[in-house]
Amino acid sequence: MFINFAIAKVPVREYRMLAATTEVDYPYFPFRISIDFVLVHNASESHSKGKYREFFEKAVQKEGLIIRHQMSGQTHFTLISTPFHRLSREAESSQMFRFINAPFQRKHGALFVNYHDEKSFFTPAQRGYLTYQILTKIDISKDLKHERLGDSQDLPEQSTTSITSDEQLRRKGLTWLLMRDVYEEAFVLHAPSKEEPYFKAMQNGSVKTYNEVISEIELDPRKSLSNAWERWYKFQPLNKIRDYFGEQIAYYFAWQGTFLTLLWPAVIFGFIVFIYGFVDSISSSPLDWNHCKVVKFNGETENVACGMRNGLTLFFSMLTQWFMSSFDTKMNAFFAVFMSIWGSVFVQIWKRNNSVLSYQWNSDDFHAIEPDRPEFRGSKMKEDPITGEDIWISPALFRYLKMIGSFFFVSFSMLIVILSLMLVTLLKIWMVYNFQCTKEYTFHCWLSAAFLPSVLNTLSAMGLGAVYSNLVARFNAWENHRTESEHNNSLIVKIFAFQMVNTYTSLFYVAFVRPESHGLQPNGLFGLGKEFKDTCLDDTCSSLLALQLLTHTLIKPVPKFLKDVVIPYFVKLFRLRMYTSRTEATRIEAEEDDQANVLVREWLKPSAGDFVLWEMNEKIIMFGTTMMFASLFPLAPLLALIIGFVDMRIDAHRLIWFNRKPIPMITNGIGIWLPILTFLQYCAVFTNAFIVAFTSGFCSTFLADNAYCTVQNRLIIVIVFQNLVFGLKYLLSSVIPSVPASIKVALRKKRYVVAHIMEKGDVPHKTRIKKRTRIAKLAWITSNQRVQRGKKKETPLKNKRLLAED
């Protein structure tokens, strides 16, 4: 039986109801059923796209989903609801894990907690994910073939083909329709909340209308999540995040929480190192009003008569010198060792947290069967090893050639970054000579020759990054990856590789190219002459590196905030303005109706996009910066902690209230970002070793004479540093196992007990007699009796669900 609701205009009562709830009334159901997915298209589109939608919606109905339509102006909303029995069937085919850590099976549904409560058995994230899976698995390719052959009119009404299992991996479903612009957008609805601006504005109007509308909101999960998540003094409610947004977003915030928590030891140690350096800098260069020194651009000092300078300028110069000199101290080498080991400890602890969360969220054994991307285009026929059917493939030679082409594009983009850095450096040299900073390094010189170039480098890096991000997405699509995971992993590697060079090039330049003792600029930059040298003394290069890192850290969050919050806000206003640009007589009424319609309100919200990809990229770059260069800027962990903490709360607010709800996805970790983290922590060891040996003043301090700081001796320091750190990292990796012992035991127990339950419908005797299990059984019976009060007594088999929470 197919149930199709197609209405041209929603009744006033139901229209009011849609202001406060994401559920609708259907016959054949004793309760309201939720709207699990929304598709949007323009009602004035061509007839051919309408045929595609007709085929797709018939296939959706054949799969047991329920469709309803609603119009608002020229915007057509297709509302899709998935009944409980269809969700259960999809959960079984997807081997979704729930409660007892076992693949869900309908025949053993009585073993699962709350199975008879259709409204609460699946979380909102699971309903959205399962519905999305059904829609992406639907295949209308045979209908399209008949349509092209011109015999679609001869097909019976029920002939629409829908393939929703792994019978074939190449489908024309939802993703294909979105690619062809048959539907403009597809999204899931946020849960209604009394905290929305629309309802707050209603309080100023009719109290009766407000109470009538608010009464439709039974639960308020967004308010509950906001109260626990957006508070600055509370820990993240990861389970609530997972239930509402899905595992993918929950794992990202779990990783970020682990990162920020483990930053505290680095923050404390780094602050101690900075205070030590600041005090040492004051004691070594006290403020002397009788003997004044002038600091030149290259770091040299010259004694001058104090009468040539006023007291305020002298004090500022000394304060700047104290601050900049406090970063290169005797403790830098120890802090570099600490940060290198800290990175290894962080990765190991995250692996442990990942294993615990995977067990608790029952995603440790999750492996999705992916269909081909709709953009994938094959050029050769081959038998599919899974289905045995002839399918189109892309030969390996073509893929490799395209990957080589993408490699040259990425490499060329990196060269553009280096060229940009050189141009900014030439501008800085011109300003040095224009303001005569070689004679005296005044505040004006510091502003124009040190701070401004650092700002320009940062802005250049961010601008190039924005252009590259748009281009690399096209190159990655050109590579023609078969599955979505292959496509995303390739895109992540390209974006991270460029951002790594884009962010770290200027820092490596200051650390290893500018030092005078390294002799890399004998005739100036590009051989333009000695007057175009951009060098610094060994004891000042570390200060300039700290300044560059400080500028990067402080400026980078600004454009991110503009991109994530400010620009989407104005885009939303523009879309609302365009949407309501009707005749002046109906404008006010239309705007009021749009605000009252939850579909329009959610549709006008900006999309979160590839939220996890871009947020993880930003945080991984911050992680690498903190590890690789914090040895000469011990305040980097503190700044990373502050920025990360603020950014986490902003992300929480915009996900709950500002953006559309992202489509929930199931995963078992952070994916390819984990090997990238491992790569960065090894890079940090080499970087810190060379910074300690070649950039900082550790060599001259350690050997007590700068004459002994030859290249050979510095390389000895590098080798000793690396061997020491790698040895400690290996020791700590052995001491801190990736999977806790308790989780290993729990996984073994789960496999044994679940197999026994699924086979015999009962719990093993040894397990049943344990006190912990008896308590779980008692708790289950109590809760079940409360739900089933007034019904007949349950059968003995149903009472054996005691392992549901064990």
Side-chain angles (χ1 to χ4, degrees):
M1 177 184 296
F2 304 131
I3 305 173
N4 184 19
F5 294 89
I7 53 175
K9 186 176 181 181
V10 181
V12 176
R13 178 182 176 277
E14 186 172 333
Y15 197 70
R16 287 183 178 178
M17 181 206 49
L18 281 176
T21 183
T22 56
E23 298 177 341
V24 290
D25 294 319
Y26 291 104
Y28 311 103
F29 289 97
F31 51 83
R32 288 177 180 172
I33 187 170
S34 65
I35 301 172
D36 298 312
F37 219 84
V38 179
L39 305 176
V40 184
H41 71 273
N42 194 312
S44 59
E45 288 179 343
S46 62
H47 176 71
S48 60
K49 292 184 179 180
K51 276 289 185 183
Y52 292 163
R53 287 191 292 270
E54 180 183 348
F55 292 148
F56 180 72
E57 292 179 11
K58 286 183 179 180
V60 170
Q61 293 171 1
K62 185 175 181 179
E63 286 305 319
L65 279 65
I66 303 172
I67 294 180
R68 191 166 190 154
H69 300 280
Q70 179 175 331
M71 293 284 294
S72 182
Q74 291 297 315
T75 305
H76 191 120
F77 296 97
T78 302
L79 316 181
I80 299 177
S81 301
T82 311
F84 178 76
H85 70 88
R86 187 60 185 89
L87 290 172
S88 300
R89 181 152 60 94
E90 183 64 23
E92 182 177 5
S93 65
S94 301
Q95 294 187 343
M96 178 174 286
F97 290 67
R98 176 111 171 122
F99 292 113
I100 64 172
N101 296 339
F104 176 76
Q105 296 182 17
R106 286 171 290 169
K107 65 180 180 180
H108 295 304
L111 294 171
F112 292 82
V113 172
N114 293 331
Y115 178 71
H116 297 287
D117 187 357
E118 298 186 7
K119 299 188 68 174
S120 62
F121 181 73
F122 292 106
T123 66
Q126 289 170 339
R127 293 188 68 96
Y129 169 77
L130 291 173
T131 304
Y132 177 72
Q133 285 290 98
I134 296 172
L135 296 178
T136 54
K137 289 179 181 179
I138 286 176
D139 183 24
I140 60 171
S141 56
K142 292 185 179 180
D143 296 299
L144 297 178
K145 181 180 179 180
H146 289 300
E147 173 71 13
R148 287 192 296 269
L149 294 176
D151 57 352
S152 61
Q153 301 297 327
D154 300 330
L155 294 174
E157 179 71 15
Q158 309 300 334
S159 66
T160 300
T161 302
S162 173
I163 298 177
T164 58
S165 64
D166 57 350
E167 295 180 7
Q168 89 181 42
L169 296 178
R170 186 71 182 273
R171 305 182 181 93
K172 286 183 171 62
L174 177 61
T175 52
W176 184 84
L177 295 172
L178 290 172
M179 183 191 71
R180 297 291 297 267
D181 294 327
V182 176
Y183 291 104
E184 296 177 0
E185 294 178 271
F187 59 93
V188 292
L189 294 174
H190 271 296
S193 175
K194 301 175 184 178
E195 298 297 314
E196 288 184 358
Y198 169 71
F199 298 117
K200 289 186 175 181
M202 286 184 64
Q203 292 179 337
N204 300 326
S206 172
V207 177
K208 180 180 179 181
T209 304
Y210 172 77
N211 292 333
E212 179 183 351
V213 174
I214 289 297
S215 64
E216 300 288 344
I217 301 178
E218 299 178 2
L219 301 175
D220 201 338
R222 275 201 289 169
K223 181 180 179 181
S224 174
L225 183 59
S226 177
N227 292 338
W229 195 9
E230 293 189 67
R231 299 294 184 267
W232 300 91
Y233 53 86
K234 289 187 176 182
F235 292 101
Q236 295 188 101
L238 293 179
N239 289 326
K240 290 185 177 181
I241 297 172
R242 177 240 181 179
D243 288 342
Y244 191 76
F245 289 109
E247 282 79 0
Q248 186 182 60
I249 290 179
Y251 273 114
Y252 159 69
F253 282 105
W255 179 90
Q256 187 181 19
T258 304
F259 175 58
L260 297 180
T261 301
L262 290 181
L263 270 177
W264 278 104
V267 169
I268 296 173
F269 192 9
F271 191 72
I272 293 174
V273 171
F274 172 74
I275 294 298
Y276 170 82
F278 192 75
V279 173
D280 183 68
S281 178
I282 294 176
S283 60
S284 61
S285 301
L287 184 61
D288 188 356
W289 299 100
N290 298 319
H291 299 84
C292 300
K293 292 182 179 180
V294 171
V295 182
K296 298 183 179 180
F297 175 71
N298 62 355
E300 296 179 352
T301 59
E302 178 183 357
N303 292 325
V304 297
C306 289
M308 296 175 55
R309 304 162 55 87
N310 57 53
L312 185 61
T313 304
L314 173 63
F315 177 75
F316 174 80
S317 298
M318 292 303 300
L319 185 63
T320 303
Q321 181 181 353
W322 291 338
F323 180 78
M324 300 304 295
S325 300
S326 61
F327 297 120
D328 191 1
T329 66
K330 300 176 182 178
M331 296 184 65
N332 284 110
F334 301 101
F335 189 64
V337 172
F338 173 82
M339 291 303 300
S340 300
I341 297 174
W342 174 87
S344 180
V345 172
F346 166 72
V347 172
Q348 286 299 115
I349 291 181
W350 165 246
K351 289 179 180 178
R352 289 173 62 87
N353 290 350
N354 197 132
S355 64
V356 173
L357 291 174
S358 297
Y359 174 75
Q360 292 178 349
W361 294 345
N362 311 321
S363 62
D364 47 345
D365 295 328
F366 176 79
H367 299 285
I369 299 177
E370 293 186 280
D372 288 353
R373 298 175 62 246
E375 297 91 342
F376 174 75
R377 292 292 177 267
S379 57
K380 182 179 178 181
M381 294 291 293
K382 182 180 178 181
E383 182 179 329
D384 193 311
I386 299 177
T387 65
E389 299 179 357
D390 291 334
I391 60 172
W392 287 100
I393 65 168
S394 178
L397 179 61
F398 290 168
R399 295 202 312 271
Y400 293 148
L401 290 176
K402 289 183 177 181
M403 291 173 66
I404 292 174
S406 296
F407 172 78
F408 281 113
F409 166 73
V410 175
S411 302
F412 177 76
S413 302
M414 294 177 179
L415 291 177
I416 295 294
V417 171
I418 298 174
L419 178 62
S420 172
L421 172 65
M422 294 296 102
L423 292 177
V424 173
T425 303
L426 290 176
L427 174 63
K428 178 183 66 177
I429 294 175
W430 177 83
M431 297 179 73
V432 167
Y433 284 93
N434 185 59
F435 294 109
Q436 297 183 344
C437 297
T438 54
K439 297 181 180 179
E440 182 176 352
Y441 194 43
T442 61
F443 171 71
H444 189 71
C445 289
W446 174 83
L447 184 65
S448 59
F451 180 75
L452 183 59
S454 298
V455 174
L456 290 177
N457 276 329
T458 304
L459 295 178
S460 172
M462 291 184 295
L464 291 174
V467 174
Y468 174 84
S469 299
N470 293 326
L471 294 178
V472 76
R474 300 182 181 182
F475 269 87
N476 197 67
W478 175 66
E479 289 181 6
N480 198 26
H481 296 280
R482 179 177 287 276
T483 63
E484 196 66 29
S485 61
E486 293 175 357
H487 174 83
N488 291 338
N489 289 343
S490 178
L491 181 62
I492 288 172
V493 171
K494 291 182 179 65
I495 290 176
F496 171 76
F498 176 82
Q499 291 293 351
M500 183 177 176
V501 175
N502 197 20
T503 304
Y504 301 152
T505 296
S506 60
L507 302 175
F508 276 104
Y509 172 78
V510 175
F512 302 115
V513 178
R514 288 195 64 184
E516 178 73 28
S517 60
H518 293 181
L520 298 179
Q521 301 182 47
N523 295 316
L525 288 175
F526 305 111
L528 296 177
K530 294 184 177 180
E531 63 273 14
F532 287 94
K533 274 189 176 183
D534 182 38
T535 59
C536 56
L537 299 180
D538 289 345
D539 56 349
T540 59
C541 289
S542 56
S543 301
L544 295 175
L545 177 61
L547 176 64
Q548 182 69 33
L549 187 58
L550 176 65
T551 307
H552 267 283
T553 307
L554 294 179
I555 294 181
K556 286 202 72 173
V558 177
K560 182 180 182 301
F561 180 77
L562 294 176
K563 171 180 167 292
D564 294 341
V565 179
V566 178
I567 295 178
Y569 175 76
F570 285 103
V571 170
K572 177 182 177 181
L573 294 181
F574 176 76
R575 292 184 64 184
L576 180 61
R577 180 73 177 178
M578 295 295 294
Y579 182 74
T580 58
S581 59
R582 301 157 182 158
T583 60
E584 195 65 31
T586 61
R587 177 187 296 271
I588 297 178
E589 181 182 357
E591 290 180 353
E592 292 177 352
D593 290 343
D594 294 339
Q595 289 295 317
N597 191 340
V598 65
L599 299 174
V600 176
R601 291 202 308 268
E602 293 296 318
W603 175 59
L604 290 175
K605 289 181 179 179
S607 171
D610 294 327
F611 175 82
V612 174
L613 188 154
W614 294 108
E615 291 298 325
M616 279 297 298
N617 184 69
E618 289 287 338
K619 303 307 181 296
I620 294 291
I621 291 294
M622 182 184 295
F623 168 81
T625 304
T626 303
M627 281 191 59
M628 289 195 288
F629 301 99
S631 56
L632 286 180
F633 186 53
L635 294 180
L638 176 62
L639 294 179
L641 178 66
I642 296 174
I643 293 173
F645 192 72
V646 173
D647 185 70
M648 181 172 65
R649 303 304 177 183
I650 292 177
D651 287 341
H653 181 80
R654 70 188 185 97
L655 279 179
I656 297 175
W657 304 113
F658 185 70
N659 291 111
R660 289 183 201 156
K661 183 180 180 180
I663 297 176
M665 302 299 293
I666 296 180
T667 184
N668 54 9
I670 59 175
I672 198 174
W673 293 110
L674 185 58
I676 290 177
L677 279 175
T678 305
F679 167 75
L680 276 180
Q681 65 161 322
Y682 283 102
C683 288
V685 176
F686 294 101
T687 303
N688 282 318
F690 279 93
I691 286 178
V692 168
F694 287 90
T695 306
S696 72
F698 176 78
C699 180
S700 58
T701 303
F702 179 73
L703 298 178
D705 190 347
N706 196 45
Y708 292 101
C709 289
T710 61
V711 175
Q712 293 82 358
N713 290 336
R714 293 178 187 269
L715 289 176
I716 291 175
I717 295 175
V718 171
I719 295 173
V720 173
F721 183 97
Q722 291 178 357
N723 291 337
L724 174 64
V725 172
F726 279 129
L728 292 174
K729 288 167 74 71
Y730 176 77
L731 178 63
L732 289 172
S733 299
S734 303
V735 173
I736 307 175
S738 301
V739 181
S742 59
I743 298 298
K744 293 180 180 178
V745 174
L747 290 172
R748 292 176 58 190
K749 180 180 178 182
K750 179 192 75 172
R751 287 190 291 268
Y752 165 70
V753 175
V754 167
H756 190 283
I757 292 177
M758 290 302 179
E759 179 182 359
K760 300 183 178 180
D762 198 358
V763 182
H765 176 72
K766 296 262 184 203
T767 305
R768 183 165 60 246
I769 63 176
K770 291 184 179 180
K771 179 180 178 181
R772 175 179 168 188
T773 309
R774 291 200 306 268
I775 296 176
K777 179 178 180 180
L778 180 61
W780 179 87
I781 293 175
T782 304
S783 61
N784 189 66
Q785 288 176 347
R786 188 182 304 113
V787 175
Q788 301 294 337
R789 186 173 299 165
K791 296 184 179 180
K792 65 179 182 178
K793 189 176 182 181
E794 294 184 343
T795 62
L797 176 59
K798 291 185 178 180
N799 284 332
K800 293 177 180 177
R801 287 177 282 181
L802 56 101
L803 199 65
E805 296 291 350
D806 187 40

